[in-house]
Every structure is written in C-alpha cells, then in structure tokens.
C-alpha cells in the first residue's frame, strides 16, 4: 500500500473466508466490536495482489470468534472467495470518539511512557483486552511492564508529544519485570 494512502487508512481486520453462498465475508476483526465497521460505513479491501477496492458496509454482526461482514456489491460465494485473506481498512476520519478523553489503540501504540516524576518506563508496544480494563504492555529492552489502563494509573496522554504519564503504584514496576 502506498504511504499516502496508508496514513489515511487504519487496518481493521482480515477476510478469513466466505460465509454461505450470498457473498458474506467471515473476518478476523482487530476492532473492539462490529460497530467499528458499521459506523465507518465504508471499508477498503486490499487483496494479496495489492488490488484495492472500496465497498459500502451493509451489515456487520458477531459470529463465533469473528465477524460476518456484508458489503454492497458482493453477491456470491465467488465474489467473497476472491477476497480471501484481503486486509480490511477504514478511513481514519471515519473513527468516532464517544468522548474527548477516548483514544484508539492505534494512537496509543508507540507512545513513550513516563512516571509523573519523569522516569522513562519504556514504549507502549501492545494492548491486551482483558474483558475488564485493558492492559498496556510497555517494553524497555527485554523488560516488559504491564500497566492497567485505568484512570487511577494513567494520568495523562499527550499525542502531540508522543507520551503517556502514569502514576507510581506500589509494586507495579518491580512485580511485573520479565
């Protein structure tokens, strides 16, 4: 994918296989819910051959461990099969925030994490969804620290300065060393 297009798009999933005979796609979603697809309204699919096409989303619903996605113009199992293993993107400007202090994972990964006293902890490298609150995995060399993504711990996020400020919690940094 060319760089200008990729900065405008966010990877949201991958087509696993066709589902049924009517063009429905079974997808592995990297989003929190199927709402991300329906709220975006449109998706861009890129095949392994680097062919790109934009589609309108007509429906998205949970199914087993993934999502079933219906797109306008996909009407047969053959249409869906041609998109097997295609990456699914949405336009960055289609993201909708529920509140001003809500952040998307793609914005957080890569932030430098500091204690409020200025001590650098590391770089946020991944986020674990645990069912309760998320957990931020902060890496510094071979060491990983697990940070609960709660208001009590995360004191500030500054996307412009590429940093997250966390409160020191007793035992947090010395108990999670790997």
């Amino acid at each position: 994918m060319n760089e200008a297009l990729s900065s405008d798009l966010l990877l949201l999933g991958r087509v696993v296989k066709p589902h049924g005979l009517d063009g429905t796609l079974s997808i592995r979603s990297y989003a929190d819910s199927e709402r991300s697809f329906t709220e975006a309204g449109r998706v861009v699919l890129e095949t392994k051959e680097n062919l790109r096409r934009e589609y309108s989303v007509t429906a998205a619903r949970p199914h087993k461990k993934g999502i079933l996605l219906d797109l306008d113009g996909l009407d047969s199992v053959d249409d869906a099969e041609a998109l097997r293993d295609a990456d699914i993107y949405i336009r960055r400007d289609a993201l909708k925030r529920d509140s001003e202090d809500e952040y998307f994972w793609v914005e957080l990964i890569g932030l430098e994490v500091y204690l409020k006293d200025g001590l650098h902890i590391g770089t946020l490298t991944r986020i674990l969804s645990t069912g309760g609150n998320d957990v931020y995995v902060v890496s510094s060399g071979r060491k990983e620290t697990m940070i609960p993504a709660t208001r009590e711990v995360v004191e500030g996020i500054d996307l412009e300065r590429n940093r997250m400020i966390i409160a020191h919690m007793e035992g947090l940094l010395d108990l999670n060393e790997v």
Side-chain angles (χ1 to χ4, degrees), residues 48-81:
K48 291 189 303 188
E49 296 80 24
N50 295 320
L51 300 173
R52 268 181 249 115
R53 182 165 173 207
E54 191 164 3
Y55 296 89
S56 292
V57 175
T58 57
R61 57 200 176 280
H63 179 73
K64 297 184 180 177
K65 293 183 181 180
I67 291 176
L68 297 180
L69 187 64
D70 293 315
L71 303 175
D72 190 35
L74 295 184
D75 301 315
S76 71
V77 68
D78 292 333
D79 292 344
E81 183 61 47

Side-chain angles (χ1 to χ4, degrees), residues 74-94:
L74 295 184
D75 301 315
S76 71
V77 68
D78 292 333
D79 292 344
E81 183 61 47
L83 295 170
R84 184 185 290 262
D85 297 322
D87 287 326
I88 304 168
Y89 297 88
I90 65 167
R91 298 205 178 276
R92 187 178 292 270
D93 58 11

